[in-house]
Amino acid sequence: MASSAPYAEMARFLEATGQDALDQKRREAEVLFRRIGVTFAVYTEGGDPERLIPFDVIPRILSREEWERLSKGLEQRVRALNAFLADVYGPQEIIKAGRIPAELVRENEGFLPQMVGFTPPGGVYTVISGIDLVRTGPDEFYVLEDNCRTPSGVSYMLENREAMLRLFPDVFTRHRIAPVSHYPEELLETLKSRRRRAAMAGRRWWC
């Protein structure tokens, strides 16, 4: 079972801060997000589609041990997703074996017949993946969905962290919190590596 220790200091902080102060911080976060335009669109409910990103003043805490276990599982999942895409755009063994009905793949609006037989540089079909997780127990997590197209939710994560830094600086002095600000640089390097692989593949093809 996961330990409650990571939340102990946060519980003391919340108790010392008080509900009124937390409500005030929540309102400040809404003003901040509205000023800088941190919104998302909902087009199916009518009215103004732009909504403020929900902001919870109580953070979700993962210990180092939890994150190391989760990161291994997430990396494995992305490899599995890539292997699936390589198969459905390649030999389609998963369809031939009857594990997935052919119509679920070939009639899916996201399936591109033009990609069949094409192998991207390095064999990587999904360069960026957004895996939505939810904690369902002290030591249990479930995947809600896999976003392998344009996982824009990461931008909300970055803005959420910036808001927490601005509104609750004391929290960051009391905890050893892993940074997330390096994400854009890592994303840029990932995209550059794809470009280099594509260029190398192009040179080999022309040779």
Side-chain angles (χ1 to χ4, degrees), residues 64-91:
R64 178 183 294 274
E65 292 74 18
E66 286 177 319
W67 176 244
E68 287 177 350
R69 179 168 63 89
L70 279 173
S71 63
K72 290 178 182 178
L74 292 171
E75 289 171 5
Q76 181 188 56
R77 190 176 187 87
V78 172
R79 288 195 297 270
L81 289 169
N82 190 74
F84 171 76
L85 291 170
D87 182 59
V88 297
Y89 286 124

Side-chain angles (χ1 to χ4, degrees), residues 113-172:
Q114 302 90 334
M115 284 284 294
V116 173
F118 173 76
T119 301
V124 177
Y125 287 81
T126 173
V127 178
I128 309 169
S129 300
I131 314 299
D132 287 352
L133 285 176
V134 59
R135 186 195 286 272
T136 57
D139 197 34
E140 186 176 65
F141 297 85
Y142 275 78
V143 172
L144 293 179
E145 64 178 354
D146 302 296
N147 298 286
C148 298
R149 294 173 298 173
T150 307
S152 58
V154 70
S155 61
Y156 300 133
M157 175 272 294
L158 294 171
E159 291 297 342
N160 186 291
R161 175 60 67 86
E162 285 297 317
M164 286 293 294
L165 280 166
R166 184 177 301 187
L167 297 173
F168 298 98
D170 291 347
V171 171
F172 289 83

